[in-house]
């Protein structure tokens, strides 16, 4: 491709991406160190905020391969485009891969390594695009390889960094950078990566990605709502930083940092734009909304300025109280109650009844753009979103045999209206209806459709219907947490005799939880349809 043609296609791609980015949903991760949790577990979490990201939860079994085998590299693993993943390259295969759980952003493997994902902004000079650029490693493909090849968080960082440098990091969410929140039962890491630019080629001899990882302090929590959180880097501090050797070079080459100025190198400011597109910059209000909401929950004693710059929030915060899995779930379910950004408190939702103004039962924090336009309600980006494909909270525990090491609590659709189901890392299969979905065909045999329908029905009369949902969900989630101690004890006893028996037991338990929730959600749907159809509600 000659330079003129390359430049023309780059400008075209930039224009398309600019249109696309305005509608990007993006994601939120919350990471908890082991001394910041109530039970000593290390947690990460993720909201996959793209309506049709692949949410079919399936187990991809580990395999052994002969020497010289190749591993395929794919585009569209996340399933955002309505076509099957496309092979765009291949790399040398390892001799043995580990079993992992596959969704749009693969999240856990048999060794208990768990990974959350959230897109972060990167400067224009770093961007590259499919299919014209030469980079082939999307973040979701890198997650696949990490989970197939790593037993610890540090090993996962090494796998991802090396592959991205060699084969080039290819953005798949717009043209932006990426952050992964990687955990095992001992450590939690924030891993950030940026592209090497549209003109990068493997033959250039230069690395195809820039990346850095910072450890989450054991007694702290880190929130990553689509923004780079790493600032100052100490590459000599191997306990808390793992970075690529060239982490400053692109910033120096592009004039974003001058070592002669005597100023410290700030990773976040070097590679992320301060202003620009409302969604993708360090000054973004839709990032600020979530930072304020979540930091206010983590430490209510501090007066957090809702309009403070995003860079003013510390990388990590020691929470006012240690967090449980349920606490992290509640943060994922939140929609800015008690803040100036709560859209349900807009005056447009209040109607006169007699001599009082009362909130309409239709008031919902999850309005469509058409509803906001009709009521003239400004948009603030909540943590929970109605167009979320799935979310999870992972709970990695030390002192357990491998099949019990990590429990991942998974929920379909809007976190605010979902029900979280435990999936043990040792499970060997999932319920068929939880790996069956067609976005173009509603089906009673798809659990995902049950949650999509319930969320839609609740939001038609949110103030009343959310109470019906709580009556179904709260006892279910409470039961799962109460059962956990006994399930752990039984699986632990089985594992002493035979690990396979423990895995079989955990598989059946995971599938039984899925079945209970799926049945409950279809019954909830029939209740909501019966109770709130327009023949009954005036």
């Amino acid at each position: 491709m000659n330079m003129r043609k390359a430049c023309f296609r780059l400008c075209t791609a930039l224009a398309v991406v600019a249109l696309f980015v305005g509608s990007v949903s993006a994601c939120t991760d919350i990471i908890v160190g082991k001394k910041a949790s109530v039970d000593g577990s290390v947690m990460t979490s993720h909201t996959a905020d793209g309506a049709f990201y692949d949410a079919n939860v399936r187990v991809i079994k580990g395999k052994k391969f002969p020497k010289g085998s190749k591993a395929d590299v794919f585009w569209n693993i996340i399933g955002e485009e309505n076509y099957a993943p496309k092979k765009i390259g291949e790399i040398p295969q390892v001799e043995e891969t580990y079993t992992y759980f596959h969704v749009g952003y693969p999240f856990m493997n048999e060794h208990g390594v768990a990974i959350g994902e959230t897109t972060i902004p990167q400067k224009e000079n770093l961007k590259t695009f499919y299919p014209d650029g030469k980079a082939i490693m999307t973040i979701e493909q890198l997650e696949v390889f990490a989970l197939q090849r790593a037993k610890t968080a540090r090993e996962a960082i090494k796998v991802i960094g090396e592959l991205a440098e060699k084969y080039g990091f290819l953005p798949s969410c717009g043209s932006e950078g990426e952050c992964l929140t990687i955990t095992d039962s001992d450590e939690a890491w924030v891993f950030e990566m940026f592209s090497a630019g549209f003109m990068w080629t493997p033959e250039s001899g230069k690395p195809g990605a820039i990346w850095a990882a910072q450890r989450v302090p054991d007694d702290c929590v880190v929130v990553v709502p689509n923004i780079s959180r790493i600032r100052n880097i100490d590459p000599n501090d191997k306990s808390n930083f793992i970075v690529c050797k060239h982490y400053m070079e692109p910033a120096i080459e592009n004039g974003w940092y001058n070592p002669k100025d005597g100023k410290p190198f700030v990773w976040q400011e070097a590679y992320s734009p301060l202003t620009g597109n409302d969604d993708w910059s360090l000054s973004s209000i839709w990032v600020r909304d979530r930072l304020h909401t979540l930091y206010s929950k983590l430490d209510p004693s501090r007066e957090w300025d809702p309009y403070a710059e995003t860079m003013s929030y510390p990388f990590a915060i020691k929470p006012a109280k240690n967090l449980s899995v349920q606490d992290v779930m509640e943060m994922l379910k939140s929609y800015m109650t008690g803040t100036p950004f709560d859209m349900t408190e807009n005056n447009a939702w209040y109607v006169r009844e007699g001599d009082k103004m009362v909130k309409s039962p239709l008031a919902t924090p999850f309005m469509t753009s058409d509803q906001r336009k009709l009521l003239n309600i400004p948009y603030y980006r909540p943590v929970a979103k109605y167009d979320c494909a799935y979310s999870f909270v992972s709970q990695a525990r030390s002192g357990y045999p491998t099949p019990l090491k990590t429990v991942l609590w998974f929920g379909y659709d809007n976190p605010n209206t979902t029900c979280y189901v435990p999936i043990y890392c040792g499970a060997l299969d999932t319920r068929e209806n939880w790996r069956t979905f067609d976005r173009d065909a509603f089906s009673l045999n798809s659990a995902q459709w049950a949650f999509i329908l319930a969320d839609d029905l609740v939001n038609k009369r949110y103030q009343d219907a959310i109470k019906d949902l709580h009556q179904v969900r709260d006892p279910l989630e409470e039961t799962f947490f109460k059962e956990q101690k006994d399930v752990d004890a039984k699986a632990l006893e089985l594992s002493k005799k035979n690990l396979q028996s423990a895995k079989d037991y955990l598989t059946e338990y995971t599938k039984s939880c899925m079945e209970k929730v799926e049945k409950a959600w279809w019954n909830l749907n029939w209740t909501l349809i019966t109770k709130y159809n327009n023949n009954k509600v005036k």
Side-chain angles (χ1 to χ4, degrees):
M1 185 185 298
N2 62 43
M3 184 63 70
R4 180 178 295 180
K5 186 176 180 183
C7 290
F8 172 77
R9 297 187 75 167
L10 173 60
C11 292
T12 303
L14 283 169
V16 171
V17 167
L19 291 172
F20 168 75
V21 162
S23 63
V24 166
S25 298
C27 311
T28 305
D29 290 9
I30 301 165
I31 317 98
V32 183
K34 60 186 177 183
K35 293 182 180 177
S37 65
V38 295
D39 62 351
S41 63
V42 180
M43 291 184 266
T44 189
S45 59
H46 172 53
T47 61
D49 295 331
F52 290 122
Y53 288 164
D54 180 2
N56 290 324
V57 188
R58 60 255 195 218
V59 176
I60 308 299
K61 299 288 179 65
K63 295 180 181 178
K64 292 184 178 180
F65 297 90
K67 287 184 179 181
S69 297
K70 297 290 185 179
D72 293 338
V73 176
F74 291 96
W75 169 261
N76 194 40
I77 288 174
I78 53 175
E80 184 169 36
E81 304 297 334
N82 198 9
Y83 56 76
K86 276 185 188 176
K87 179 180 173 180
I88 58 174
E90 57 184 27
I91 67 170
Q93 181 60 279
V94 292
E95 291 185 27
E96 183 177 5
T97 59
Y98 305 133
T99 296
Y100 78 97
F101 292 80
H102 191 87
V103 285
Y105 293 102
F107 51 51
M108 181 173 63
N109 72 9
E110 64 176 298
H111 296 288
V113 176
I115 305 179
E117 176 276 342
T118 178
T119 305
I120 59 176
Q122 66 177 351
K123 290 181 177 177
E124 292 293 327
N125 291 26
L126 301 174
K127 297 183 178 184
T128 188
F129 311 93
Y130 171 77
D132 294 326
K134 297 298 183 182
I136 62 170
M137 286 289 175
T138 63
I139 202 66
E140 54 273 17
Q141 180 65 80
L142 288 165
E143 287 181 79
V144 170
F145 288 138
L147 292 172
Q148 287 182 323
R149 303 177 182 201
K151 291 183 178 181
T152 67
R154 286 178 183 260
E155 287 182 7
I157 290 168
K158 185 173 184 287
V159 169
I160 294 169
E162 289 180 355
L163 290 177
E165 286 188 43
K166 185 171 183 178
Y167 298 99
F169 166 53
L170 173 62
S172 55
C173 187
S175 57
E176 305 304 330
E178 285 287 353
C179 172
L180 297 178
T181 53
I182 308 174
T183 62
D184 55 31
S185 58
D186 187 49
E187 296 182 325
W189 290 82
V190 172
F191 175 101
E192 297 182 359
M193 183 156 57
F194 302 106
S195 304
F198 181 74
M199 301 306 293
W200 177 85
T201 66
E203 296 75 29
S204 67
K206 292 186 175 182
I210 320 150
W211 59 270
Q214 183 172 352
R215 186 178 175 180
V216 177
D218 288 342
D219 61 350
C220 287
V221 177
V222 176
V223 175
V224 192
N226 301 118
I227 186 175
S228 168
R229 301 309 319 278
I230 298 174
R231 291 184 61 79
N232 300 106
I233 290 173
D234 181 358
N236 297 316
D237 181 0
K238 305 296 185 184
S239 295
N240 295 299
F241 292 95
I242 307 173
V243 299
C244 63
K245 293 178 181 177
H246 59 287
Y247 73 97
M248 281 195 289
E249 289 176 15
I252 295 170
E253 290 172 3
N254 284 281
W256 301 327
Y257 175 67
N258 186 350
K260 296 178 181 178
D261 288 344
K263 296 179 181 178
F265 176 78
V266 181
W267 168 270
Q268 179 194 61
E269 294 174 8
Y271 296 120
S272 287
L274 177 61
T275 59
N277 184 285
D278 289 342
D279 291 349
W280 299 111
S281 71
L282 295 178
S283 59
S284 167
I285 184 64
W286 69 300
V287 170
R288 215 176 300 173
D289 299 348
R290 285 174 284 163
L291 281 172
H292 177 260
T293 297
L294 296 175
Y295 272 70
S296 297
K297 290 178 181 295
L298 290 167
D299 188 358
S301 67
R302 289 178 61 174
E303 199 158 323
W304 299 96
D305 180 357
Y307 303 103
E309 291 296 332
T310 60
M311 295 87 78
S312 68
Y313 287 86
F315 170 76
I317 179 175
K318 191 170 182 177
K321 67 180 185 68
N322 282 16
L323 303 180
S324 65
V325 172
Q326 296 97 313
D327 290 329
V328 179
M329 288 176 180
E330 288 307 310
M331 286 193 281
L332 296 186
K333 293 171 183 177
S334 64
Y335 58 86
M336 301 181 293
T337 52
T339 77
F341 310 120
D342 184 351
M343 290 180 286
T344 67
E345 292 301 326
N346 189 282
N347 288 337
W349 288 121
Y350 283 79
V351 294
R352 182 170 295 282
E353 285 190 5
D355 59 352
K356 294 189 301 183
M357 297 295 289
V358 299
K359 185 185 286 188
S360 167
L362 304 181
T364 174
F366 306 111
M367 291 170 286
T368 64
S369 59
D370 289 334
Q371 289 172 314
R372 294 196 304 272
K373 289 174 187 175
L374 180 66
L375 297 172
N376 195 27
I377 295 176
Y379 179 68
Y380 297 107
R381 204 291 195 190
V383 178
K385 290 186 93 265
Y386 71 85
D387 53 351
C388 175
Y390 63 87
S391 59
F392 72 78
V393 180
S394 63
Q395 179 188 20
R397 296 106 44 98
S398 61
Y400 285 86
T402 303
L404 292 81
K405 204 170 263 187
T406 299
V407 185
L408 186 140
W409 300 81
F410 177 89
Y412 275 126
D413 210 68
N414 185 346
N416 186 262
T417 59
T418 198
C419 181
Y420 287 104
V421 173
I423 302 174
Y424 279 79
C425 68
L428 302 171
D429 198 4
T430 57
R431 184 167 161 77
E432 184 178 355
N433 288 5
W434 288 64
R435 41 189 166 85
T436 302
F437 179 72
D438 181 346
R439 70 179 70 180
D440 297 319
F442 176 81
S443 172
L444 296 176
N445 295 317
S446 169
Q448 189 172 351
W449 270 117
F451 284 88
I452 291 173
L453 178 58
D455 182 58
D456 189 62
L457 293 170
V458 166
N459 282 316
K460 293 185 185 304
R461 196 177 179 86
Y462 184 85
Q463 296 298 315
D464 293 330
I466 192 65
K467 297 172 186 174
D468 297 294
L469 184 141
H470 275 286
Q471 288 180 354
V472 175
R473 177 179 70 193
D474 295 355
L476 274 170
E477 287 185 347
E478 186 179 341
T479 297
F480 295 149
F481 281 107
K482 283 182 177 178
E483 290 175 346
Q484 189 174 17
K485 186 176 180 180
D486 290 338
V487 172
D488 286 347
K490 184 169 182 179
L492 183 60
E493 191 61 33
L494 288 169
S495 70
K496 292 176 182 177
K497 301 172 184 175
N498 186 298
L499 276 181
Q500 184 63 42
S501 296
K503 291 178 181 180
D504 291 341
Y505 168 69
L506 293 172
T507 301
E508 291 310 307
Y509 177 71
T510 294
K511 291 168 73 173
S512 71
C513 293
M514 289 177 167
E515 184 176 15
K516 285 177 187 175
V517 169
E518 182 183 349
K519 183 178 179 180
W521 242 246
W522 283 121
N523 288 336
L524 172 64
N525 283 323
W526 312 146
T527 297
L528 295 172
I529 290 170
T530 304
K531 195 170 182 179
Y532 299 115
N533 71 78
N534 63 6
N535 288 333
K536 287 191 172 183
V537 177
K538 296 183 180 180

